[in-house]
Amino acid sequence: GCPEERRVATLLHRCPRGVAAGSVPDMSSVVVGYVPKPEGEAALLTAIAEARLRGAELIVVNSHRARTGEGEPDLGEARATLDASGITYDVRQLARGFEAAEDLVSVAEANDAVLIVIGLRRRTPVGKLILGSNAQRVLLDAHCPVLAVKAS
């Protein structure tokens, strides 16, 4: 891959002794929290690259509040991106009673994920003092490494 992929591989992909880099004993999974916003798109593209790097399945979690009269968010563009990527993926749309962070961490734990990818939105100087509550919850509660990315 490109130098950037090798750098990311060096930083994030730790192989146990006796396991060749790029080989995966069982199908592992990468979980990404997706919302149809710039930070969600950035997280999705990064998660696709990470899943490809690891030979892992990608689980896309879209968690939204169930409100009367509202349907599920349209994920057509995300599905087109995923189809074009050629990786194995599963999309889970959850109408939650829980917080989005709880849904994401639960799916990651249930699927023994090797990585969670989340998108962060840009914040004002005052907002930078406080990390978004969902991002903070994922970082604190996740059982595996979390990769946080910003939209460009």
Side-chain angles (χ1 to χ4, degrees):
C2 69
E4 183 63 25
E5 283 179 345
R6 283 193 297 276
R7 186 181 71 74
V8 170
T10 302
L11 293 173
L12 295 174
H13 192 73
R14 304 283 187 245
C15 293
R17 291 182 194 267
V19 176
S23 72
V24 180
D26 293 316
M27 184 61 132
S28 58
S29 61
V30 171
V31 173
V32 60
Y34 177 79
V35 289
K37 296 179 180 177
E39 61 269 20
E41 299 299 330
L44 181 63
L45 292 174
T46 300
I48 288 169
E50 291 297 325
R52 184 175 288 126
L53 187 68
R54 290 170 169 72
E57 173 188 30
L58 180 61
I59 301 172
V60 181
V61 178
N62 173 254
S63 181
H64 61 281
R65 284 205 165 85
R67 294 188 181 121
T68 308
E70 279 188 20
E72 291 183 341
D74 180 18
L75 302 183
E77 224 173 279
R79 287 181 192 275
T81 300
L82 288 160
D83 287 341
S85 75
I87 63 168
T88 303
Y89 71 89
D90 183 24
V91 175
R92 313 238 178 120
Q93 284 190 280
L94 307 172
R96 67 179 192 248
F98 300 115
E99 291 298 313
E102 288 179 60
D103 287 340
L104 195 58
V105 170
S106 293
V107 169
E109 286 177 358
N111 291 279
D112 201 24
V114 295
L115 180 71
I116 297 173
V117 182
I118 58 173
L120 300 177
R121 65 177 175 255
R122 301 213 179 270
R123 301 200 171 267
T124 64
V126 172
K128 288 179 184 175
L129 293 173
I130 307 166
L131 186 62
S133 61
N134 278 323
Q136 186 175 20
R137 278 266 61 92
V138 172
L139 289 167
L140 294 174
D141 295 345
H143 74 288
C144 63
V146 177
L147 176 57
V149 297
K150 290 193 287 188
S152 51

